[in-house]
Amino acid sequence: MKDFLKFTFASLLGNLIGLVLITTMGIGGLIFLIIMSASQDSGPQVKEKSVLVFDLSLSVSDTGPNPSSSEALQQLLSENSPSEIQLRTLVQSIDQASQDDNIVALYLQGTNSPTSAGLANLKEIRQALQRFRDSGKTIIAYDMEWTAPEYYLASVANQVIVNPLGSLDIKGLSSEVMFLTGALEKYGIGVQVTRVGKYKAAVEPFLLKKISPESREQTQQLLGELWGEWLRTIAPSRKVTPQQLQAFSNTEGILLANTALKAKLVDKVAYVDEVVTNFKKITEESPDKDQQFRQISINSYSKIPEVAKNNSGDKNSDNKIAIVYAEGEIVDGKGTSTQIGSERLAKELRKLRLDEKVKAVVFRVNSPGGSATASEVIGREIELIRKQKPVIVSMGNFAASGGYWISMGADQIFAEANTITGSIGVFGLLFNIQDISNQNGITWDIVKTGKFADIKTISRPKTPDELAKIQNIVNLIYDRFISNVATHRKLPKNKVQEIAQGRVWSGLQAKEIGLVDEIGGLDAAIAAAVKKANLGDNWKLQEAPKPRSLEERILENLAGENTTVTATPLDPLTREFLRLQEELSIIKGMNDPKGIYTRLPFNLRIE
């Protein structure tokens, strides 16, 4: 946006509204008008023989970036690309680039920060990269340190390059659980648990100090499935067998650059300047011109109108296919921007049900679950929509426990092979602060009109009778969960009881046992919705809710908060502290009115 100021102030001088805004809104009006003028810029342009640059440090999510007003303004005024991108936008951009005569190659640029894209999202991205390569265009991937998730994408490239001091990580997957039991005991915080399902390990970090045999069994099997998919996907691209890859994993774990080259897992060992020189040959530029080659970032490319229209249907059609995103923890009430608030999502779903122009709904679920009550509220809205129009679920990285609850009522469920789903189980987590309070001189007394009047207090542990009451509720909700799965999935109830028990499954396993219908991503779910609604080519996509424009955010909150995004890698101590903070934030988000949850084994983390 080199001519930004010239065009902006030319627009300001000729715009009478600018005077009104400046007079009535002061400096805020000036900022608003600058933004309005900038938004009328023609946008990024692609020069002939350009390279599309996909920086692997980009944060990829279903819903995409949701910046504050100040962050959005900073992005607008900065020449740097945003650090986040929506999954579907990313996939569309790669597909469009494969057909764009101005794009001659794609550069997978490695990063010193681990990619944040989940396993299922990586699968969809890799498939798009494969389509790009199949179109006859070149992909070159370069990094200093290839992590397993990044190499999952890079392995599809025509040429995989690593720095001479770099390495390739193929050591495998692990899942480490943080147990808080000792800390709770030390500080006098009591925990009581009610649960159903022998694999429902979500409560174990509060009760045990190591993984239970049941939890170890299911986690080991899940990791084996996910790692097996990694091996089976990468092996053909590198012309090796999965067994050979596994042998390298067992004997080396992390391969140094020359070892990786000898193993034919990378094609070249080189420095970044040599990679740049190679791209200059591809773009037919002089090697002495400057230190860069002709390129466009994937974020900038995605903003080109032709790219944005790609695979979005007929813009002139009145028939809408609505995509609704459910990403994050499921909580009661409205929730935050990173949570699935039952009240907020249910309201959006009701709008779509009543909108006659919406002919089908694609429900994208990327959630480990959460509040049982909130899951029931959302699930009910899905059932009501289905009575009037098709509902197709697309499962992302996670669609487990409460995430499965809100999915099971759809006409058809799509998942990737490495989606984590299932975990059909229920638990109640009951904290009390009696010991820590007594140690500090705090006591309570109670006057009540009934035996169970103070059952929700945290000033003392629950009595056996109270625990029995809560366990009855947990049992009832679990039975309802099992019965609904049996009804919606047309499975015998005893079969559902066998595959439930809180156990997690990969998408591939879930298809085999009947919890999922098809293996596929978001675009496959959209195609199924179009077919189910009998729309042919007469349809267009609508994302719900529609993201607010920058102008709307500025008007709502002109100041905004000032947050700076950085991709600087964290040291191990800080990373572990933030992990503890994340564990505690999940507890904070547990706001179910009954204290009962349908959630994945606690904060399942795979590395």
Side-chain angles (χ1 to χ4, degrees):
M1 203 177 290
K2 294 180 180 179
D3 296 324
F4 172 73
L5 290 177
K6 180 177 71 176
F7 289 122
T8 297
F9 287 109
S11 176
L12 286 173
L13 290 173
N15 198 326
L16 185 60
I17 290 180
L19 296 175
V20 177
L21 283 171
I22 294 169
T23 304
T24 58
M25 297 175 63
I27 191 66
L30 178 60
I31 293 174
F32 178 74
L33 188 55
I34 290 175
I35 292 166
M36 288 293 288
S37 301
S39 67
Q40 296 171 4
D41 193 2
S42 59
Q45 302 294 319
V46 187
K47 298 177 181 178
E48 289 185 10
K49 293 185 173 60
S50 291
V51 173
L52 183 65
V53 178
F54 177 8
D55 186 340
L56 293 179
S57 68
L58 272 177
S59 175
V60 182
S61 63
D62 286 350
T63 54
N66 184 27
S68 65
S69 300
S70 58
E71 288 172 336
L73 179 58
Q74 288 172 17
Q75 290 175 5
L76 179 67
L77 299 177
S78 171
E79 291 187 357
N80 297 325
S81 297
S83 59
E84 299 174 85
I85 193 168
Q86 187 177 17
L87 172 64
R88 192 162 187 278
T89 299
L90 175 60
V91 170
Q92 282 184 188
S93 299
I94 296 171
D95 283 336
Q96 181 67 20
S98 69
Q99 306 300 319
D100 190 335
D101 292 338
N102 289 326
I103 299 294
V104 294
L106 188 148
Y107 178 26
L108 273 179
Q109 185 176 23
T111 172
N112 60 354
S113 300
T115 180
S116 63
L119 297 175
N121 285 359
L122 287 174
K123 183 76 173 179
E124 292 200 49
I125 297 168
R126 193 181 193 280
Q127 289 168 342
L129 291 171
Q130 184 65 61
R131 292 191 294 271
F132 183 94
R133 179 173 176 174
D134 290 344
S135 72
K137 296 186 178 182
T138 300
I139 301 176
I140 296 177
Y142 174 82
D143 200 354
M144 170 70 81
E145 310 282 350
W146 282 114
T147 64
E150 290 173 335
Y151 187 67
Y152 184 79
L153 298 181
S155 60
V156 79
N158 300 78
Q159 194 173 42
V160 181
I161 307 172
V162 67
N163 186 279
L165 286 181
S167 62
L168 170 60
D169 178 356
I170 59 168
K171 63 181 182 295
L173 304 178
S174 65
S175 179
E176 186 177 57
V177 181
M178 179 180 288
F179 290 89
L180 307 178
T181 307
L184 296 174
E185 290 174 351
K186 178 179 179 180
Y187 293 108
I189 298 175
V191 182
Q192 294 170 294
V193 165
T194 53
R195 65 170 167 173
V196 182
K198 66 179 181 178
Y199 294 102
K200 201 63 184 174
V203 296
E204 290 184 0
F206 304 103
L207 300 177
L208 307 178
K209 295 183 179 179
K210 64 178 184 178
I211 299 172
S212 70
E214 294 82 5
S215 180
R216 185 176 297 278
E217 175 194 346
Q218 71 164 340
T219 304
Q220 187 68 59
Q221 184 172 358
L222 177 66
L223 292 181
E225 283 288 323
L226 299 178
W227 181 243
E229 200 276 337
W230 189 93
L231 296 172
R232 291 189 297 271
T233 301
I234 288 176
S237 296
R238 298 308 307 172
K239 295 181 173 57
V240 296
T241 66
Q243 291 76 17
Q244 287 173 312
L245 281 175
Q246 185 61 54
F248 285 122
S249 177
N250 293 338
T251 58
E252 300 286 344
I254 298 177
L255 284 69
L256 297 179
N258 286 328
T259 306
L261 182 63
K262 290 177 183 177
K264 298 182 180 179
L265 298 184
V266 301
D267 300 293
K268 190 175 180 181
V269 175
Y271 292 99
V272 67
D273 60 281
E274 295 174 294
V275 175
V276 170
T277 300
N278 188 35
F279 273 120
K280 286 182 179 179
K281 291 179 182 178
I282 294 174
T283 56
E284 300 179 5
E285 294 176 272
S286 169
D288 301 324
K289 184 180 178 182
D290 54 40
Q291 294 183 346
Q292 281 299 334
F293 51 89
R294 194 180 301 112
Q295 61 182 264
I296 182 169
S297 73
I298 203 158
N299 245 323
S300 296
Y301 187 74
S302 69
K303 294 176 176 61
I304 298 172
E306 291 77 9
V307 177
K309 290 189 299 184
N310 185 35
N311 201 26
S312 295
D314 179 3
K315 67 177 182 179
N316 297 317
S317 176
D318 288 331
N319 299 322
K320 300 176 184 177
I321 300 290
I323 305 179
V324 186
Y325 296 98
E327 186 169 27
E329 293 276 334
I330 300 174
V331 299
D332 200 47
K334 291 186 176 180
T336 67
S337 61
T338 59
Q339 295 173 324
I340 304 170
S342 59
E343 182 182 326
R344 178 163 44 87
L345 183 54
K347 181 179 179 181
E348 191 62 43
L349 292 171
R350 280 193 292 273
K351 285 182 184 177
L352 298 178
R353 173 163 54 89
L354 299 173
D355 188 342
E356 294 181 356
K357 291 185 177 180
V358 173
K359 305 302 181 182
V361 173
V362 175
F363 191 32
R364 174 71 172 189
V365 179
N366 196 354
S367 172
S371 165
T373 302
S375 299
E376 172 74 351
V377 169
I378 297 167
R380 175 60 179 168
E381 291 298 330
I382 294 297
E383 289 181 25
L384 292 175
I385 293 176
R386 188 183 175 186
K387 291 178 180 179
Q388 299 181 21
K389 57 195 77 175
V391 180
I392 309 296
V393 160
S394 168
M395 291 181 168
N397 302 312
F398 295 92
S401 211
Y404 190 79
W405 189 311
I406 66 177
S407 303
M408 61 185 173
D411 291 276
Q412 198 171 10
I413 298 177
F414 284 77
E416 291 290 5
N418 48 9
T419 293
I420 296 172
T421 188
S423 192
I424 299 167
V426 183
F427 69 91
L429 199 57
L430 312 166
F431 293 98
N432 74 82
I433 56 171
Q434 184 181 67
D435 285 351
I436 190 173
S437 300
N438 291 171
Q439 291 169 19
N440 290 277
I442 301 173
T443 58
W444 289 267
D445 204 351
I446 186 76
V447 176
K448 56 185 180 179
T449 61
K451 182 178 180 180
F452 299 107
D454 61 337
I455 193 171
K456 292 188 177 182
T457 183
I458 63 168
S459 65
R460 59 168 177 80
K462 301 292 181 279
T463 67
D465 285 346
E466 289 171 333
L467 282 175
K469 290 287 183 186
I470 296 169
Q471 183 66 54
N472 285 339
I473 297 173
V474 169
N475 293 343
L476 179 67
I477 292 175
Y478 181 66
D479 185 70
R480 181 175 179 80
F481 201 167
I482 293 288
S483 298
N484 286 350
V485 172
T487 300
H488 290 305
R489 300 302 304 165
K490 296 180 174 57
L491 295 170
K493 190 172 180 180
N494 62 344
K495 170 73 180 300
V496 178
Q497 288 172 331
E498 290 175 10
I499 63 179
Q501 301 293 326
R503 185 163 188 165
V504 292
W505 306 94
S506 70
L508 199 59
Q509 291 173 315
K511 184 177 184 298
E512 292 172 356
I513 60 179
L515 295 180
V516 164
D517 295 300
E518 300 290 342
I519 298 299
L522 183 54
D523 282 340
I526 293 170
V530 172
K531 183 178 180 181
K532 190 80 173 175
N534 297 313
L535 296 179
D537 295 327
N538 185 18
W539 59 275
K540 65 181 176 183
L541 284 180
Q542 169 188 299
E543 293 197 353
K546 184 180 178 181
R548 290 177 305 154
S549 67
L550 177 57
E551 293 91 330
E552 289 169 332
R553 287 197 296 268
I554 291 292
L555 284 175
E556 289 179 9
N557 184 1
L558 194 57
E561 68 274 11
N562 188 8
T563 305
T564 302
V565 178
T566 177
T568 304
L570 299 172
D571 63 89
L573 185 61
T574 302
R575 191 162 55 242
E576 201 62 21
F577 173 76
L578 291 176
R579 180 179 171 185
L580 174 60
Q581 209 173 35
E582 184 182 347
E583 302 281 356
L584 296 176
S585 71
I586 292 172
I587 298 173
K588 188 176 179 182
M590 288 183 167
N591 67 345
D592 185 276
K594 297 182 180 65
I596 297 174
Y597 303 92
T598 54
R599 197 192 183 282
L600 263 178
F602 207 84
N603 204 15
L604 180 63
R605 180 188 302 271
I606 297 173
E607 297 174 345

